[in-house]
Amino acid sequence: MLKWQNKVPISIKPEFCIILALTLLILPVKWIFAWILASAFHELCHYIALKLSCCEVLRVQINLNGAIMETDILSCTAEILCALAGPLGGLSLLLIAKWLPRVAICGCFQSLYNLIPIFPLDGGRAVACVLKRLFPGTQGERIKSIWDSCILLAFVFLTIFLIIQYQK
């Protein structure tokens, strides 16, 4: 049984509010509401995984990059499970697509985005833990840094390729 202890302090950065306000001017409210529901479910899945790992959530901060939970130190296995809990939860929203299609679509896109293997996204956190286990010490950190650079370069080249293809 989960034991809900102290209330976790939540802080919302002003830049998040500004982006949300600008988004309200651009997107329909139904889509923004669906995005907020999918995001909240994503973070709830992270929170439940952390609690099941017997980890204390010290603080939650909502900013331009999404929500960041400050926690106790986790083992690599617990870190991987907790990092992947959010995207798996978002993908599970596809099960309710018949009744809440916008929420399911937002959850799916958020999950796919968060699974990109670049730190600090969830996929990047999982890759970093795997690399720490495979390559102890500073070697794992160097490989993670090279990995992040390669992924970013791949995205840059893909973007350039798509721009060139679009202009043809």
Side-chain angles (χ1 to χ4, degrees):
M1 185 164 136
L2 292 175
K3 183 179 176 185
W4 304 102
Q5 297 172 341
N6 300 336
K7 292 182 181 179
V8 177
I10 299 174
S11 64
I12 300 175
K13 294 289 188 175
E15 59 266 15
F16 174 78
C17 297
I18 293 168
I19 292 296
L20 184 60
L22 291 172
T23 306
L24 281 167
L25 296 172
I26 299 168
L27 295 175
V29 173
K30 290 179 181 179
W31 281 101
I32 293 171
F33 185 66
W35 170 69
I36 290 171
L37 277 176
S39 297
F41 187 72
H42 175 98
E43 296 306 327
L44 178 64
C45 290
H46 282 306
Y47 186 79
I48 290 170
L50 286 164
K51 285 297 186 181
L52 290 173
S53 298
C54 298
C55 181
E56 188 66 32
V57 178
L58 307 173
R59 189 169 76 108
V60 176
Q61 182 183 63
I62 301 172
N63 60 26
L64 288 177
N65 298 326
I68 299 170
M69 291 187 202
E70 291 182 21
T71 64
D72 294 334
I73 295 175
L74 292 168
S75 68
C76 274
T77 304
E79 175 83 17
I80 291 169
L81 294 174
C82 293
L84 296 179
L88 291 175
L91 291 173
S92 74
L93 290 174
L94 291 172
L95 299 173
I96 62 165
K98 182 177 179 179
W99 302 281
L100 297 169
R102 286 183 187 91
V103 174
I105 290 168
C106 289
C108 182
F109 278 106
Q110 286 175 359
S111 294
L112 294 176
Y113 169 75
N114 272 287
L115 286 173
I116 295 173
I118 299 174
F119 192 82
L121 298 176
D122 297 330
R125 289 176 38 219
V127 167
C129 285
V130 169
L131 290 174
K132 281 182 195 174
R133 290 189 109 174
L134 293 176
F135 305 101
T138 58
Q139 185 180 12
E141 284 295 319
R142 278 185 290 179
I143 292 172
K144 183 183 85 58
S145 181
I146 293 168
W147 173 269
D148 286 348
S149 298
C150 290
I151 296 293
L152 285 172
L153 278 173
F155 274 109
V156 168
F157 287 129
L158 178 64
T159 303
I160 292 169
F161 173 76
L162 291 174
I163 290 170
I164 291 169
Q165 288 298 324
Y166 179 73
Q167 291 180 354
K168 285 185 178 181

